[in-house]
Amino acid sequence: MTDTASDITRRLGREAEAVCRHYLSNGRKQGRYWIVGDARNTPGRSLYVRLTGPAHGPGAAGKWADAATGEHGDLLDLIASARHLQSLGETLDEARRFLSLPRPEPPRRARQSAPAGSPEAARRLFAMGRPISGTLAERYLHRRGLAALGDAPALRFHPHCYYWREGQPKEALPETWPALLAKVTDGHGNLTGIHRTWLDPATARKAPLDPPRKAMGNLLGHGVRIGAATDILAAGEGLESTLSLRMGLPDLPVIAALSANHLAALILPAGLRRLYIAADADEAGAMAADKLTERADAVGIETIRFAPLGDDFNEDLRKLGRDKLRVHLSQQLATADLSRLLFCDP
């Protein structure tokens, strides 16, 4: 029978100290933990691996956390980092070698790889991510003033996301960087694409890449949704700017179209009566807002424009703070929305 990743993780947990001595040889045992600098076996004391505990769940043997970066995971993650492995299959093969387990027979019909940049490739990548709580992605958002999002289901973290530089030869190996993943969905909740923001683990800022953000899949007309649209919705451009609206008005459903052009082409959901348009304060944003207003007017949807004080609403959030941003936004709300969006717990 083929061992699953969860089976192998439990087997590794039973041999947690031996795994650490083999893959994290620059560390040392201290009480119930193995201590080392990071998951790449750097000397130091930032990363703690639990050596004893239950087979699964909170406190399981093999669970680890890096106090310096906020990353955490299991022993499969450590093996992948220590050996610089690029896929789950390679990692499982390495773990089987360590555990002296036979390699499973290949399936009769190998799973076809998804075309690069396709919605299917986006779905597979997002499925590989983990909730942002306690990760570098959460630290990055905190630096942007976005500190109360919790495990937003549209956001995930990937510790080793591929990055191909512009003009890089196809045969060259990609770099890997931690990344914030944002799920792009249609009006029915189906994933159509994904937006990636690569992060620098040393600073919790965007990675020193050009560009540090890329999208894949079908984005036109869709977006990153936080909260379910009812009869009202706020539509913005960038992810952080749109999330800032949600910070100021937690009961207002929002969608980040991820660019001015995509904001202009947003598919308006059925049943929408009022649309708040939160474009950036530049020429592209103004043109996108005009186009979206024209399309909304044609189907009888009222539009109201949220105007930032700075270039966008994330700049406002970081300069003003959440409470003052809330006041600024409340002054632009329709009278009918005041009670439903303001007179509730912020």
Side-chain angles (χ1 to χ4, degrees):
M1 179 180 296
T2 299
D3 293 299
T4 65
S6 58
D7 292 333
I8 290 178
T9 299
R10 284 193 289 271
R11 289 171 181 259
L12 291 171
R14 292 196 290 267
E15 305 291 335
E17 183 173 339
V19 173
C20 291
R21 290 187 182 279
H22 185 74
Y23 293 101
L24 301 177
S25 57
N26 287 323
R28 63 185 179 87
K29 182 179 179 180
Q30 183 171 318
R32 295 179 297 170
Y33 296 92
W34 189 268
I35 302 175
V36 71
D38 58 31
R40 290 166 294 281
N41 197 26
T42 304
R45 298 178 54 83
S46 296
L47 189 144
Y48 293 74
V49 185
R50 184 180 289 273
L51 299 179
T52 61
H56 56 81
K63 294 290 186 180
W64 59 271
D66 191 327
T69 67
E71 293 181 83
H72 58 86
D74 57 29
L75 291 174
L76 278 177
D77 296 320
L78 284 181
I79 291 174
S81 293
R83 290 292 186 263
H84 305 288
L85 302 175
Q86 304 298 320
S87 70
L88 178 60
E90 290 176 319
T91 305
L92 291 175
D93 285 344
E94 174 65 24
R96 290 188 185 100
R97 282 192 289 271
F98 176 83
L99 294 168
S100 300
L101 296 175
R103 185 174 182 177
E105 295 183 2
R108 293 182 181 179
R109 297 183 63 184
R111 184 184 183 189
Q112 294 183 346
S113 61
S118 67
E120 177 59 26
R123 280 190 285 272
R124 294 183 185 182
L125 177 59
F126 193 75
M128 293 171 64
R130 64 181 67 160
I132 64 172
S133 180
T135 69
L136 179 64
E138 185 179 55
R139 290 177 57 208
Y140 165 75
L141 292 170
H142 282 195
R143 293 192 68 97
R144 303 296 295 264
L146 301 163
L149 297 173
D151 287 333
L155 305 177
R156 286 189 181 177
F157 172 68
H158 194 301
H160 307 289
C161 189
Y162 287 157
Y163 185 90
W164 281 268
R165 293 185 181 269
E166 300 296 333
Q168 181 175 328
K170 291 183 178 180
E171 63 274 12
L173 293 175
E175 301 174 35
T176 59
W177 291 80
L180 169 65
L181 309 179
K183 178 172 63 173
V184 177
T185 58
D186 62 19
H188 302 289
N190 300 312
L191 189 151
T192 66
I194 195 169
H195 184 262
R196 297 154 293 175
T197 303
W198 282 273
L199 307 173
D200 185 342
T203 63
R205 301 179 187 273
K206 288 193 289 291
L209 302 169
D210 184 21
R213 306 175 188 264
K214 293 183 182 180
M216 60 190 296
N218 296 333
L219 274 65
L220 193 64
H222 312 308
V224 180
R225 302 169 194 267
I226 307 293
T230 53
D231 59 330
I232 61 172
L233 174 69
E237 294 184 46
L239 178 63
E240 291 85 349
S241 180
T242 307
L243 289 175
S244 299
L245 292 178
R246 182 77 173 182
M247 288 285 295
L249 298 170
D251 284 351
L252 177 63
V254 300
I255 179 170
L258 303 176
S259 75
N261 287 337
H262 288 167
L263 178 63
L266 184 67
I267 297 174
L268 301 172
L272 188 64
R273 292 193 301 109
R274 186 159 37 257
L275 175 67
Y276 290 93
I277 301 175
D280 293 352
D282 55 24
E283 184 177 356
M287 292 177 63
D290 288 344
K291 181 63 176 178
L292 186 56
T293 297
E294 180 182 332
R295 294 179 51 237
D297 288 345
V299 293
I301 298 174
E302 177 188 4
T303 58
I304 295 176
R305 299 195 189 187
F306 276 148
L309 292 173
D311 291 336
D312 60 42
F313 292 97
N314 188 245
E315 179 181 322
D316 288 356
L317 175 64
R318 287 181 287 161
K319 287 185 177 180
L320 301 176
R322 179 180 176 181
D323 292 341
K324 289 184 178 179
L325 174 61
R326 181 177 174 85
V327 171
H328 174 64
L329 293 172
S330 69
Q331 296 168 349
Q332 304 176 64
L333 289 173
T335 302
D337 295 329
L338 291 173
S339 59
R340 66 196 292 191
L341 297 178
L342 293 182
F343 302 127
C344 57
D345 292 332

